Each structure stands twice: as structure tokens, then as C-alpha cells.
Amino acid sequence: MKLLVISLLCVIANADNSARLSGGVTTFTGQYPAVVSIDSPYILHCGGTIVDLQHVLTAASCVMHPTTFSLVNPHWLRVIAGDLNLVPASYHREVRNVSRLFVHPNYNNETNNNDLAVLRLSRPFPEFHNTIEPAILATRAFTYGTQCRYVGWGTTTSGPTAAINPTQRSINVPIIAAVECNVPTVHNFRVLPAMICAGSLTATPDTTCQGNVGGGLYCNEQLAGVLIFGLACGSANQPGVYTDVRQYRQWIYSQFDRTDNPQPGWLPQPL
């Protein structure tokens, strides 16, 4: 708890009106009610997406220890929902602790394949309303050039001590063909079949930076992807790469009814 308090104090101390999710525009109430912020003592900041009353979708890398790559204690995490600003809190805010963590059993921390996790909250959200609603999961692939948006908070730098700006923003990130993202000068064949590449190959202010992993890619108002790497912060040849939610719908929904409780230290078994 002390680490979470210190983290929040750092956010308050560095709060200003500038954009920390590089580029983009400020969101408005009710525009992206599924977007949440996840606090962790190990990761600077992660994004997430509400998928039902008691579950949040994020990247597996957000809930795995950064050096042992094993499952962290779920009680170290906290989810903030319903608020556009991390500080100050509004009356819309709902804060939840996490009771269980379900990471894809074949998550590979080296390749980022199957980089997904579902968080079970300590208690459900209230009935859905304008500021807290589940995302609609995409059911089809989106073609090259589709105009999508990434939503989150984040920073303008990738340094380990970069401060999170409290204002939620969204950026335009068009879909890029995997063949373009996999050239040696871009992601060098790291974009796998279960991933989506989206953003820009040229330098642009509209990019994801540190503090955005786990957040959602929205295409046609549906959740299409979960950000896993490609934190460009304005650099060329570093578009964001996302786990393709469409290909994991069945696995995501099956986590809602799980009765087991993976313990801290659990390790996935990559294929």
C-alpha cells in the first residue's frame, strides 16, 4: 500500500496541463467508459479495459515480475475506473483491489506471444452507466488503413522515472500491414500472427509511450487490441503492437467463470 501511495503522490507532484500521452486529444466523459488505469509497484503504470462487471483485460506483462517473469501478488494491484483524470478524483470514480490474476497459460515474455491477462476484481462494479461500461470485443479483423484510436494516460518519455499525466487522452493510430511492421528497420519480425500493428512509421507526436502497456486499441468503437510493445514517444519506425483481441475472445470469456486461484510465483508455459 505504501508503494501505491508514493506512486500517487508522484503523479500529483508532476501534474500539469501538457499532453503525456504523446499527441492526441483530451477525451470527454462517457467517450471511453471501459478504460481503466492499473497501479502496480513493479510497473510504472498500465492501462486496462473493463470486459464485465468484475473483470478487466490487460497485458500479461503488467502482472508478471519484471525480472523473474512470474505472477505477482494480485493484492499489490489497484484498478481506477470511471474517471478521466487520475487526480483529482471525481464522484464518478470507482476503485477496486484485485483478488485473482489469470494470465494466458502460453504467454511468452520473450516474444510477447499470448500477452494477455484477465484481472478479477475484489468486488464488482456497480451497474453499468455512462462512465463505467464493458468494451465490445471485436469479432472481425480490421484491414490496412482502418482508422483506430488508442486511449490512455501515459508519459511523453520512456524513462523509468517518467511521471504520468493525470489527463486521459486518445490518439489516432491507423492499422499497418504486418509485412510493413516486420521489416528489419521497424519491428524485425516481432509482429506475430496473433498481433496487430497500428500507428505511424514516420515520426509523429501521436504515439504511445511508457505507461501505456495493457491499454486498448479501439476500431469502429470495438476493442481490437491490447498494447504490448512499440512505445515510440514520437520516434519513427516504432508503431504500437497489440495482441489481437478477436483471436482470444473465447479465452477471455472463459476466465469469468474460473474457480481456481493461481498463486504468486506461477509461471506460464510458452509453446
Side-chain angles (χ1 to χ4, degrees), residues 124-200:
F125 289 121
E127 289 300 317
F128 292 131
H129 48 80
N130 188 43
T131 59
I132 297 180
E133 292 184 2
I136 299 172
L137 305 190
T139 58
R140 65 177 180 84
F142 292 97
T143 58
Y144 171 83
T146 299
Q147 297 297 310
C148 304
R149 300 199 71 82
Y150 176 86
V151 186
W153 289 270
T155 67
T156 53
T157 68
S158 289
T161 60
I164 302 297
N165 183 273
T167 303
Q168 186 185 97
R169 299 178 71 84
S170 72
I171 57 174
N172 187 51
V173 282
I175 300 292
I176 305 174
V179 65
E180 293 185 58
C181 288
N182 271 331
V183 299
T185 55
V186 184
H187 287 311
N188 196 24
F189 302 102
R190 289 187 63 195
V191 182
L192 303 177
M195 297 178 184
I196 299 171
C197 188
S200 175

Side-chain angles (χ1 to χ4, degrees), residues 234-262:
S235 301
N237 295 324
Q238 285 293 306
V241 178
Y242 303 77
T243 297
D244 186 355
V245 167
R246 173 185 62 88
Q247 300 189 46
Y248 292 89
R249 283 169 53 93
Q250 183 176 354
W251 180 83
I252 293 167
Y253 290 138
S254 68
Q255 306 313 294
F256 300 169
D257 299 320
R258 282 181 64 169
T259 58
D260 60 315
N261 187 13

Side-chain angles (χ1 to χ4, degrees), residues 100-118:
R100 298 188 185 187
L101 298 173
F102 303 121
V103 171
H104 194 284
N106 304 127
Y107 165 58
N108 188 320
N109 68 280
E110 295 182 355
T111 66
N112 289 103
N113 200 29
N114 305 308
D115 195 345
L116 280 183
V118 171

Side-chain angles (χ1 to χ4, degrees), residues 3 10 19 36 53 65 78 85 98 115 141 143 145 148 155 172 178 201 215 233 235 251 261-262 271:
L3 286 172
C10 288
V36 303
L53 278 172
H65 193 283
R78 185 181 68 157
N85 298 315
V98 177
D115 195 345
T143 58
C148 304
T155 67
N172 187 51
L201 297 176
C233 290
S235 301
W251 180 83
N261 187 13
L271 294 174

